[in-house]
Amino acid sequence: MTTTTLGRTKNRPVKMDQARAVLITRIGIVVVLLAIWEVAARSGLLYRDVVPSLLLIARALARLLVEPTFYANLGVTAGEVALAILIGGGGGVAVGILLGTNRFLQRAYEPLLHYLGPTPKIIFFPLLIMWFGVGPGSKVAMGALSSFFPVAISVAAAMREIDTVLIRVGLSFRLNVGQMISKIYLPAMRAPVINGLRIGLGVAIIGTLLAETKLANQGLGYAVIQTYATFDMPRMYALLIVVFLLAVGVNVVLGRYTELRSTGRPSDAH
């Protein structure tokens, strides 16, 4: 057995212990937060319908998961978010690559991305309604607009970090623009692109749901605002839990994919 193998064998139990400690800490935080919520619900210090008990929320969640209307709304929102990230994220990747390969455009337009990126996109929603109508189009546009900026900024920054040797190799083989993008740029900045898409997906979900709460007759955002209007707090919290878990699940999948592609194996502590 080589020294390297022995070192890996010794480090493996340590990493497993660290991963176990991280998992236990996460579970402990969740348990503490749930306990605080339940105490607040039972204490009477807050209006009981505003902070319902965990049992009422669990019952509402169980009822929600067997309702066909929930899955219809979920399908609408999922389709809108998927189309939004396809348009906004794809556009962000293209613009980021363009700015990364052209110094003039980078100096002229990249500051605008940084200025407009933090702007709350909801202020553009009235314009999007006029341009794309009151149907799903305005919600998709809202999600796409929200996801475009973090992806474009991330890709533009990653383009500047690509090893110039790789670019020279591609140019020496006389690769065209499409080949440079597919064989040099994207493989070299896979992790930053996926991380940018993870952020873009998060803000696309927020933008789409926010648009649905403003003007819609279907979708999870519409369902949430309807429960608020009827003051059905347990059902509203159940819907928020579902949205949160779905967003976390997709984010975890993308994060694990990034780790597998960058290291060849999953990290011991995700």
Side-chain angles (χ1 to χ4, degrees), residues 20 101 173 233 253 259:
R20 190 178 297 111
T101 54
F173 280 96
M233 292 296 106
V253 170
E259 293 176 356

Side-chain angles (χ1 to χ4, degrees), residues 61-211:
L61 181 59
R63 290 194 298 269
L64 182 70
L65 295 178
V66 296
E67 292 180 1
T69 54
F70 162 71
Y71 292 99
N73 287 324
L74 175 61
V76 169
T77 299
E80 291 172 348
V81 171
L83 193 54
I85 194 65
L86 180 65
I87 297 172
V93 171
V95 170
I97 292 175
L98 180 62
L99 295 181
T101 54
N102 190 306
R103 289 291 182 88
F104 173 77
L105 293 178
Q106 173 191 325
R107 291 188 301 185
Y109 294 108
E110 189 170 352
L112 296 179
L113 295 180
H114 293 277
Y115 297 149
L116 294 175
T119 304
K121 307 305 179 296
I122 193 62
I123 65 174
F124 300 111
F125 190 53
L127 292 176
L128 298 179
I129 293 174
M130 289 190 292
W131 293 345
F132 300 101
V134 298
S138 57
K139 286 72 178 178
V140 172
M142 186 68 192
L145 181 64
S146 300
S147 64
F148 168 79
F149 290 95
V151 176
I153 292 171
S154 177
V155 173
M159 284 289 294
R160 293 192 290 270
E161 301 299 324
I162 296 178
D163 193 340
T164 55
V165 174
L166 295 176
I167 299 176
R168 291 196 190 102
V169 169
L171 295 176
S172 67
F173 280 96
R174 297 182 180 179
L175 300 182
N176 57 38
V177 175
Q179 291 172 328
M180 287 291 292
I181 293 174
S182 61
K183 297 181 182 299
I184 302 295
Y185 298 150
L186 290 179
M189 57 179 184
R190 182 184 293 113
V193 168
I194 295 178
N195 286 331
L197 289 174
R198 290 173 67 182
I199 300 173
L201 176 62
V203 294
I205 292 173
I206 294 172
T208 302
L209 290 175
L210 190 57

